[in-house]
């Protein structure tokens, strides 16, 4: 297919503006003449009819202004309610061998044009199989931040992804344990069992994405156990 010229958008815009100007001129002339004749028939003087018809000429401008306000409101509302840093909800079985496994999530920048800065993820609530609260607000790190002095915050290019490790599962010894991977360097070890974690991802813009996952350390069953819920704005960080 032949591509159009680089100046085609300018020609199109010029033609559109010309048609809009012509339409406005025809509207003003035709409507003004009709309004003047009607007002004169209804007994208004020529001066009064001219003033009143002048207000009619402003109707298109007010209509366009109202339409622009509605479009801007819709666009701004959509921007504020969008989640740009989101979880991949297709969870994979924890990877590993010889009794050592690691469960990870993947976060993605959904914007094709804007880089996200100063992102972070956290386990908001961690509960055991009985629903008892084990820990709250555990800051997470990306996979490539392991061993680095500064962890937790990260940038994400347009359309890019990062892996977020959650748990280390140790099935190689009698004291089978679940390690919670965190950005603070704390050693969080939990006994063998089933755990549920509510996790949030915060970008530098948009609303935080939320996901709840369940992990069974006996068979490495790793699933999403609730529907996605977008709750908190990115500014509430």
């Amino acid at each position: 297919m032949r591509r159009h010229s680089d100046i085609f958008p300018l020609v199109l815009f010029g033609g559109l503006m010309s048609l809009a100007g012509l339409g406005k001129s025809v509207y003003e002339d035709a409507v003004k003449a009709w309004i003047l004749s009607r007002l004169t028939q209804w007994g208004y003087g020529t001066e009064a009819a001219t003033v009143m018809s002048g207000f009619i000429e402003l109707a298109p401008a007010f209509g366009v202004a109202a339409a622009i306000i509605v479009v801007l409101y819709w666009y701004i509302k959509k921007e504020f309610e969008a989640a740009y840093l989101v979880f991949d909800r297709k969870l994979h079985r924890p990877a590993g061998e010889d009794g050592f496994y690691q469960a990870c999530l993947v976060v993605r920048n959904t914007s094709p044009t804007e880089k996200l800065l100063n992102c972070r993820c956290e386990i908001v609530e961690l509960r055991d199989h009985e629903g008892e609260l084990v820990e709250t607000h555990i800051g997470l790190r990306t996979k490539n931040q392991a061993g680095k002095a500064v962890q937790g915050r990260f940038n994400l290019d347009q359309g890019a992804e990062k892996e977020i490790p959650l748990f280390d599962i140790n099935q190689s010894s009698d004291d089978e344990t679940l390690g919670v991977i965190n950005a603070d360097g704390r050693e969080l070890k939990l006994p063998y069992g089933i755990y549920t974690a509510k996790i949030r991802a915060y970008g530098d813009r948009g609303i935080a994405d939320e996901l709840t996952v369940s992990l069974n350390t006996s068979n490495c069953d790793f699933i999403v156990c609730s529907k996605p819920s977008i709750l908190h704005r990115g500014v509430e960080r």
Side-chain angles (χ1 to χ4, degrees), residues 4 14 23 29-30 43 47 73 81 84 92 95 118 124 156 178 181 183 192 200-201 204 208 210 216:
H4 59 69
D29 292 342
E47 292 184 358
Y73 171 78
E81 291 181 350
Y84 293 92
H92 299 284
N118 202 29
V124 182
L156 198 56
L178 175 70
I181 303 170
Y192 207 60
R200 288 192 190 131
D204 62 342
E210 184 175 289
N216 186 340

Side-chain angles (χ1 to χ4, degrees), residues 33-51:
W34 183 82
I35 292 295
L36 280 171
S37 64
R38 298 296 294 177
L39 291 176
T40 303
Q41 291 176 9
W42 293 339
Y44 292 97
T46 305
E47 292 184 358
T50 302
V51 172

Side-chain angles (χ1 to χ4, degrees), residues 135-162:
E135 191 80 31
T136 62
H137 299 290
I138 304 171
L140 302 173
R141 60 169 173 79
T142 66
K143 193 168 187 177
N144 59 6
Q145 287 178 337
K148 293 185 178 180
V150 179
Q151 301 182 2
R153 306 281 175 162
F154 60 93
N155 301 333
L156 198 56
D157 290 333
Q158 303 90 324
E161 297 180 343
K162 279 190 184 292

Side-chain angles (χ1 to χ4, degrees), residues 5 14 18 21 23 27 33 46 54 56 88 91 94 108 115 123 125-126 131 138 151-152 160 162 177 209 211 231 236:
S5 169
S18 299
Y27 168 83
T46 305
I56 303 300
D88 184 350
L91 301 185
R108 184 176 68 257
K115 181 176 182 177
I123 299 177
E125 292 179 355
L126 180 63
I138 304 171
Q151 301 182 2
K162 279 190 184 292
T177 58
D209 194 15
L211 183 68
L231 299 175
E236 297 174 356

Side-chain angles (χ1 to χ4, degrees), residues 21-200:
L22 179 61
K24 181 177 181 294
S25 178
V26 171
Y27 168 83
E28 288 180 350
D29 292 342
V31 173
K32 186 175 182 179
W34 183 82
I35 292 295
L36 280 171
S37 64
R38 298 296 294 177
L39 291 176
T40 303
Q41 291 176 9
W42 293 339
Y44 292 97
T46 305
E47 292 184 358
T50 302
V51 172
M52 295 175 69
S53 66
F55 287 106
I56 303 300
E57 296 178 12
L58 298 176
F62 282 120
V64 172
I68 291 174
I69 290 173
V70 171
V71 171
L72 286 176
Y73 171 78
W74 173 82
Y75 176 78
I76 293 171
K77 185 173 183 290
K78 182 181 177 182
E79 283 290 300
F80 275 103
E81 291 181 350
Y84 293 92
L85 184 67
V86 301
F87 292 111
D88 184 350
R89 284 164 168 82
K90 296 180 181 178
L91 301 185
H92 299 284
R93 185 179 179 84
E97 57 185 8
D98 298 330
F100 292 95
Y101 303 93
Q102 189 173 84
C104 297
L105 285 174
V106 173
V107 290
R108 184 176 68 257
N109 179 359
T110 61
S111 174
T113 58
E114 296 188 41
K115 181 176 182 177
L116 293 177
L117 306 173
N118 202 29
C119 304
R120 68 182 180 90
C121 298
E122 69 169 352
I123 299 177
V124 182
E125 292 179 355
L126 180 63
R127 297 180 181 272
D128 62 19
H129 68 284
E130 295 181 345
E132 295 295 328
L133 189 63
V134 176
E135 191 80 31
T136 62
H137 299 290
I138 304 171
L140 302 173
R141 60 169 173 79
T142 66
K143 193 168 187 177
N144 59 6
Q145 287 178 337
K148 293 185 178 180
V150 179
Q151 301 182 2
R153 306 281 175 162
F154 60 93
N155 301 333
L156 198 56
D157 290 333
Q158 303 90 324
E161 297 180 343
K162 279 190 184 292
E163 242 184 327
I164 307 294
L166 296 178
F167 305 111
D168 278 329
I169 307 165
N170 181 5
Q171 298 176 332
S172 63
S173 62
D174 294 335
D175 58 341
E176 295 160 327
T177 58
L178 175 70
V180 184
I181 303 170
N182 61 88
D184 303 322
R186 291 184 294 162
E187 186 174 351
L188 298 176
K189 298 291 184 181
L190 303 174
Y192 207 60
I194 301 174
Y195 292 90
T196 301
K198 182 189 293 184
I199 306 157
R200 288 192 190 131

